[in-house]
Every structure is written in structure tokens, then in C-alpha cells.
Amino acid sequence: MTKFLIFGLMLSLVISTSLIKNSTRDLDEQIYSIQENLLFLEDRFKDSKLEFDYLSSSEKLLEYQKLYFENALIKKTLSDLKILKVTDNGIITDELKILGNK
């Protein structure tokens, strides 16, 4: 009788160990997947923050204009803007129509 009891106990321990091991492996895979996604999102966040920090400041934009373009950029009004269409017959320019101004 004790042999059956010990055999049953050993069998239940082996089965419970394999179940625990499988569930632990699944949890490890989920944790790894979440960590990889988190690293990817952190990289995208850092890139976006860097872009925002350097391009959102008007002082920085003026500094970049002076540094890279010197006097190549000139101010235009909306009436100076045109629509450029390239067709098979050539290039056509149209006036820019601004909606909402009445």
C-alpha cells in the first residue's frame, strides 16, 4: 500500500512540475515580447522627442535658417503661392484658392 502511495505522490509531483514549468515558459515568452515592444516604443519616443525639441522652437528654426540657408529664404504671402501641375503638355500654374475666407 505504501508503494502505491509513494508512486502516486511521485507521479503527482512530476505532473505538477511539468505544468508549472510550461506555465513559467509561457510567462517568460510574454515578458520577453513585452520588453521588446517596450524597447521599440522607447526608441520611437526618443526620436519623436528629439525632433520636437529641435524643431518646435522658433529660435531654433531661425538659427537653422541662418546656419544653413543664410538669405536664401524669403517671406511670402498666401497670394504669392501658386499651384504647379505637371502634365504631358507641359507645366501649368494655377492660383491658390483659400477656402473659408469670406
Side-chain angles (χ1 to χ4, degrees):
M1 182 72 175
T2 58
K3 287 183 182 181
F4 289 119
L5 185 60
I6 291 175
F7 178 72
L9 181 63
M10 294 291 271
L11 184 62
S12 65
L13 287 174
V14 167
I15 291 173
S16 65
T17 302
S18 67
L19 291 174
I20 290 172
K21 205 171 181 183
N22 283 337
S23 65
T24 304
R25 187 179 311 125
D26 291 341
L27 285 174
D28 283 342
E29 288 175 3
Q30 289 177 357
I31 289 171
Y32 178 76
S33 174
I34 290 172
Q35 285 176 340
E36 288 297 315
N37 288 337
L38 188 60
L39 287 174
F40 174 72
L41 292 174
E42 283 177 349
D43 285 343
R44 285 187 59 192
F45 174 72
K46 287 178 184 177
D47 291 343
S48 297
K49 187 174 183 325
L50 179 68
E51 184 176 327
F52 176 78
D53 288 343
Y54 281 103
L55 294 179
S56 64
S57 168
S58 60
E59 292 85 16
K60 281 286 189 187
L61 290 175
L62 290 173
E63 181 181 318
Y64 290 142
Q65 176 188 356
K66 290 176 185 173
L67 182 63
Y68 295 112
F69 299 109
E70 294 179 11
N71 294 325
L73 300 177
I74 56 174
K75 188 174 183 177
K76 296 279 187 178
T77 63
L78 287 177
S79 61
D80 294 336
L81 298 177
K82 306 275 188 219
I83 297 174
L84 183 70
K85 294 181 184 177
V86 179
T87 62
D88 293 336
N89 298 335
I91 298 174
I92 302 171
T93 58
D94 292 334
E95 293 293 321
L96 180 67
K97 297 175 185 154
I98 300 172
L99 301 176
N101 289 342
K102 290 187 179 184

